[in-house]
Amino acid sequence: MDLAFLHPLYEHPGPWASVYAGTSAPSESMARERSLAAAAVSHELAEQGADEATCRAVHQAVEELRPATEPHGRALFAQDGRVVLDPPLAAPPPANEAVWAPLPRTAPLLDLAGEDPVCVVAYVDRRGARFELRGAPGGGVAGGVAGRRWPVHRTGAVDRPERHFHLRVENTWEHNAAEFADALAVCQEDTRADLLILVGEDRERHAVRDRLPRRLLDRVVETPYGEGGRLLDEDLTRIRAEHVRRRAAEEVERFLAARGPDAEGRRGAVEEVADLVEAAREHRIDELLVRAEGPDTHRAVWVGEDPDQLAVRRTELRALGLAEDHARSARADDALLRSVATTGAPAISVTPAPEAAEAGIPVGGLGALLHRT
């Protein structure tokens, strides 16, 4: 997950109210249920020490949630009487959660709002390609290209003139496939799509895929036409979920391969909290891996207002220019997410990968791939 959208949360010191609020299915009692949920979370925040203005802001935001626009709910991050950030959730939270803490409680976003890949669906045939953006704000038609119109179909004849005609057909199609692949590569760059879905007949799909840049091949999925010549929503949901699982599994494999020392004795991955904190302070984390149920995710670390003021022991913060009485205790997962978000590194939940859960990888629930120097 690209964490850039979290930057507004780290522009101001805490404490923060973090709320994960689901939306129930429409019913006659829906308004009353929302009112009760709003009262419950605002009461919970007040019990934890949140100021009255922030409790009111959260109360109002929860009451305003609507299943039609937020089918799964929202995460709400508030302080000083206003909601600063309210990303929609891609999956419902197990239960409404309200936390008042020195740092925003962002770790659940990796699973609840997390890997929801932006897709370009490319409908290809011999005459043209049409691109559709799915899973992003402003989704819809994302472009297309018309290929050479003639000749594009073979005939059944086999004499010499017809063989010449067939060759021209093949040349036309090869030209069109290359043009479609170039246009799709440009579309991916413009939309920053995570996934390219080629829809069409086998030969046309394969021809376009074979001409795509190598850097895009691990983003490509092929599928035949659905009903009405369009990719069905349920097929899109399945393809995206498979992509998320595959990517999580690949990152676990990368992490396992990097845990051992190289020829010079350097490790490309770490998972002990002390090592993770040191790597975060030194901006050496290339990607953070989080397994939500790991025991180290809620381990307490010490933080200051600056994301680089991060330590396992409170006394260590003196060396980072922070007086001990200004140190605050925070969860390790939220502290590390703040650090990597401010340095531009991504984070990924490995929970979708069954092998990660079964093997307990990373061991404590937190791990990092490091920059190669």
Side-chain angles (χ1 to χ4, degrees):
M1 175 189 279
D2 184 344
L3 302 174
F5 76 102
L6 295 178
H7 285 177
L9 303 182
Y10 305 127
E11 294 173 355
H12 308 284
W16 284 87
S18 304
V19 173
Y20 289 83
T23 49
S24 57
S27 67
E28 293 182 0
S29 60
M30 184 173 62
R32 175 171 170 75
E33 290 173 3
R34 278 200 309 269
S35 181
L36 290 173
V41 297
S42 59
H43 176 74
E44 178 66 22
L45 291 172
E47 288 285 300
Q48 296 177 46
D51 60 278
E52 185 178 346
T54 299
C55 291
R56 282 199 307 269
V58 169
H59 188 288
Q60 180 179 347
V62 173
E63 278 204 317
E64 291 175 351
L65 292 176
R66 297 292 185 272
T69 52
E70 294 97 8
H72 302 297
R74 283 187 180 271
L76 306 168
F77 300 98
Q79 68 167 194
D80 294 334
R82 68 188 185 98
V83 175
V84 177
L85 191 68
D86 60 343
L89 302 180
N96 288 352
E97 178 182 3
V99 177
W100 180 250
L103 293 182
R105 179 81 182 101
T106 54
L109 287 173
L110 295 180
D111 288 312
L112 298 179
E115 298 294 317
D116 190 18
V118 175
C119 309
V120 170
V121 181
Y123 297 94
V124 298
D125 59 32
R126 292 198 165 214
R127 295 181 181 274
R130 177 172 55 88
F131 307 145
E132 184 179 73
L133 185 62
R134 308 278 288 271
V141 176
V145 59
R148 289 179 180 172
R149 306 295 289 178
W150 186 88
V152 293
H153 293 294
R154 292 173 177 269
T155 69
V158 293
D159 59 16
R160 184 171 180 179
E162 289 300 330
R163 282 197 299 272
H164 178 68
F165 178 80
H166 292 170
L167 180 60
R168 292 177 64 189
V169 169
E170 291 303 317
N171 289 341
T172 299
W173 170 235
E174 288 179 8
H175 171 273
N176 287 354
E179 194 169 328
F180 300 164
D182 289 344
L184 182 55
V186 171
C187 184
Q188 185 280 329
E189 187 171 350
D190 289 344
T191 61
R192 300 174 63 87
D194 307 288
L195 188 58
L196 303 176
I197 305 176
L198 293 175
V199 183
E201 300 297 335
D202 289 352
R203 186 176 183 188
E204 282 81 355
R205 296 195 318 260
H206 300 339
V208 173
R209 178 176 184 146
D210 290 346
R211 289 163 175 79
L212 284 169
R214 186 177 296 274
R215 63 181 175 82
L216 296 180
L217 294 182
D218 63 349
R219 300 173 185 256
V220 177
V221 173
E222 297 184 44
T223 185
Y225 288 112
E227 293 180 13
R230 191 174 184 275
L231 182 67
L232 301 178
D233 288 341
E234 52 265 37
D235 290 331
L236 178 63
T237 299
R238 173 184 53 79
I239 290 170
R240 292 167 101 187
E242 289 173 354
H243 173 77
V244 169
R245 285 193 294 270
R246 184 171 63 250
R247 183 165 183 268
E250 289 170 353
E251 294 310 294
V252 169
E253 289 182 8
R254 284 183 61 208
F255 177 77
L256 291 173
R259 282 198 303 187
D262 60 16
E264 299 177 2
R266 298 176 302 184
R267 289 180 297 163
V270 293
E271 58 186 328
E272 295 289 338
V273 171
D275 293 334
L276 288 163
V277 165
E278 181 181 4
R281 284 201 305 258
E282 296 174 355
H283 299 184
R284 291 189 290 116
I285 293 181
D286 186 52
E287 182 177 51
L288 183 69
L289 281 69
V290 179
R291 181 171 56 85
E293 65 275 17
D296 284 345
T297 56
H298 50 78
R299 177 174 167 180
V301 296
W302 294 94
V303 300
E305 292 184 7
D306 191 307
D308 290 342
Q309 293 173 326
L310 172 64
V312 173
R313 297 178 181 83
R314 189 173 187 171
T315 54
E316 295 173 359
L317 290 174
R318 285 202 300 265
L320 303 176
L322 182 69
E324 282 188 44
D325 56 353
H326 290 165
R328 298 167 296 169
S329 177
R331 288 178 59 116
D333 52 3
D334 293 327
L336 289 167
L337 280 167
R338 179 180 70 156
S339 178
V340 298
T342 53
T343 60
I348 186 171
S349 168
V350 300
T351 304
E355 55 271 40
E358 292 171 5
I361 300 168
V363 172
L366 297 169
L369 289 159
L370 305 179
H371 291 297
R372 291 291 186 178
T373 57

